[in-house]
Amino acid sequence: MAISQAVCNVFKMNLLKGNHDFDGGATYKIALYTSSATMGATTTHYVTTNEITNTSGSAYTAGGNTLANPSVTGGSGVTPAYVDFDDTSWTNASFTANGALIYNSSQSNKAVAVIAFGGDKTVSSGTFTIQFPTADASNAIIRIA
């Protein structure tokens, strides 16, 4: 089992069908998964199988966090278009996560992108933050060239 970082194939197909709106017309969420999950380019939608559980308090709930302020930039000339979100956090958290899934909860929980953490990341009675990379044509979490 493994989590492989990828923009999901179903996202690319649904993008061409006009099923995604990053300018405020859809709700995007991010769910966290254990190392038992198998996810990558062929992931089609959010599932609860191997999603992490919060072991202390109520910091993590199934489905994860809603991603705030999605924005689209670029796309002119040879510059790729890219998407950015605000960083997101879980406070008072105790869990271990190995990766994450960004998905569109407005479109039947269709998968957008899988993020591989490169190993288990553990938080114990603290804050777990997903810090998205610099929003530019070379680093943004989702880039379409």
Side-chain angles (χ1 to χ4, degrees):
M1 292 176 232
I3 297 175
S4 301
Q5 185 135 330
V7 173
C8 298
N9 296 336
V10 71
F11 169 71
K12 297 171 193 176
M13 180 184 71
N14 283 299
L15 194 62
L16 294 174
K17 291 180 177 181
N19 292 334
H20 292 282
D21 181 356
F22 288 96
D23 283 332
T27 299
Y28 293 89
K29 298 188 83 173
I30 188 164
L32 303 176
Y33 289 86
T34 70
S35 59
S36 296
T38 300
M39 299 189 309
T42 60
T43 299
T44 59
H45 61 282
Y46 161 77
V47 295
T48 58
T49 305
N50 296 311
E51 186 175 11
I52 66 118
T53 56
N54 189 53
T55 57
S56 175
S58 59
Y60 189 86
T61 56
N65 283 354
T66 298
L67 291 171
N69 299 315
S71 62
V72 177
T73 309
S76 61
V78 296
T79 302
Y82 52 91
V83 176
D84 187 39
F85 303 97
D86 287 353
D87 296 344
T88 191
S89 298
W90 290 266
T91 57
N92 300 319
S94 294
F95 55 72
T96 298
N98 192 273
L101 175 68
I102 297 172
Y103 66 97
N104 185 340
S105 66
S106 301
Q107 287 290 322
S108 304
N109 295 330
K110 291 179 179 164
V112 173
V114 174
I115 302 168
F117 296 161
D120 284 344
K121 304 298 179 192
T122 301
V123 61
S124 180
S125 298
T127 300
F128 187 91
T129 300
I130 297 209
Q131 184 177 16
F132 288 102
T134 303
D136 62 29
S138 299
N139 299 297
I141 196 70
I142 300 169
R143 299 180 306 276
I144 308 290

